[in-house]
Amino acid sequence: MTQENQQEIHKGLDGVIADYTAISKVNPESNSLLYRGYPVQQLAQQLSFEEVALLLWNGELPTAAQRDEFTAFERSHRALAQEVKTAIDVLPTDTHPMDVGRTAVSVLGAIHPEAGDTSPEVELRKAKELFAAFPAVVAYDQRRRRGLELVEPREDLDYSQNFLWMTFGEEAAPEVVEAFRVSMVLYAEHSFNASTFTARVVTSTLADLHSAITSAIGALKGPLHGGANEAVMHTFEEIGIDPKESREDAAARSKAWMEQALAEKRKVMGFGHRVYKNGDSRVPTMRGALDSMVAHYGRGEVMGLYDGLEAAMDEAKGIKPNLDYPAGPTYHLMGFDTEMFTPLFIASRITGWSAHVMEQRADNSLIRPLSAYNGPDERSL
Ligand code: SDX
């Protein structure tokens, strides 16, 4: 062992504190999550997603005037840009929606009139523009995959209502809008997760916000991270979803499936977390949103599948669900294609990512860790 290799390697940066952040606090001991000091459960119950976005960006709850100003801005910046639609239209309709989302943000950055301007006021406006513009990308992609036409945004609807309107071409029931809003608040921010840290690494080189968020989308696509909510649904589909099945029978089947999967040493997406070890603080609130969708659509068998998998994983390995686990079936019941689930995560996490981009830039240091060399000793040609 050379001197270098005797240093401790922190693979995956597990347990490494890379920097300060004032944006959110993930607390595995108390199983809690604070956005700018406020418990996420309170925010999910009491604030709109638009207000949570302003809290994450500005550090304080918005005044009524700030809220109204942002609402007017957001509602007037929702339309799908022609350049983005053209770029999406050259992609095959079965292109993975995460690739469509990544392409859309890249195009928005490429055509931005202030692309090279990374000043705080311009970056905050870019964040607000992306917040407003991304739902149309997700909605358009789901519709074109089904051979449906683009649905134009409506300025009389709030963010969540309009997102569902553009996707399904009809006004969603209040319960569905509420469950969707809760999911957006819960997905918004989670300290130095892989995609957020990616955004900070890119920002630390002084690259622009769109480059940072395009890179973050690449990181989020992986099934060990954001792609897990899509993978959860593939698990449910592999077990089989039968609306005529009783909740009890579904639970029995999914329990047996999990026992078999674990016996085969499979990693089951939607469970476990790098930071939370006694359960993800967001799950109870997201589970409540799932419960409301199961009741609204009368789909008790989905809850059965959910409960059976959770019980079997807990019994076998004591591993708890993460946010992606209840989020996947919730989006499925709302009618989103499974491949659209992680783009929904993008729509929400644009808020956290952009807040971290601005925080990194405000007190920057190039992120460049060391490595311990374990290749061949020096030798001559
Ligand atoms: C998100 O970081 C964030 O904050 C992310 C996120 C956010 O808001 O940004 O919270 C969103 O990404 C949530 C996580 C979504 N990912 C998944 O659901 C993928 C499945 N989960 C695992 O891959 C895993 O739990 C990780 C990647 C999330 C965390 O992995 P760690 O901390 O590196 O732990 P590990 O993979 O080394 O697992 C420790 C042990 C292992 O057992 P042994 O091999 O030591 O016997 O637990 C087992 C693992 O096999 N294990 C699992 C498991 N998760 C851990 N076994 C089966 N299925 C799983 N899901």
Side-chain angles (χ1 to χ4, degrees), residues 222-235:
L224 291 191
H225 187 18
N229 61 12
E230 171 185 339
V232 165
M233 207 61 226
H234 291 319
T235 294

Side-chain angles (χ1 to χ4, degrees), residues 14 26 186-187 189-196 220 223-226 228 232 262 266-277 280 282 313 317 319 322-324 345 349:
D14 193 355
V26 180
L186 294 176
Y187 263 132
E189 159 62 14
H190 212 244
S191 80
F192 281 14
N193 59 84
S195 55
T196 296
L220 189 73
L224 291 191
H225 187 18
V232 165
L262 293 176
R266 288 174 65 175
K267 211 164 260 238
V268 181
M269 303 299 132
F271 291 91
H273 199 279
R274 169 61 62 80
V275 179
Y276 293 120
K277 292 307 175 193
D280 184 324
R282 302 162 292 183
M313 175 64 95
K317 302 193 86 163
I319 295 174
N322 56 56
L323 177 58
D324 292 312
F345 194 154
R349 191 55 61 90

Side-chain angles (χ1 to χ4, degrees), residues 10-15 274:
H10 299 280
K11 199 164 183 61
L13 299 183
D14 193 355
R274 169 61 62 80

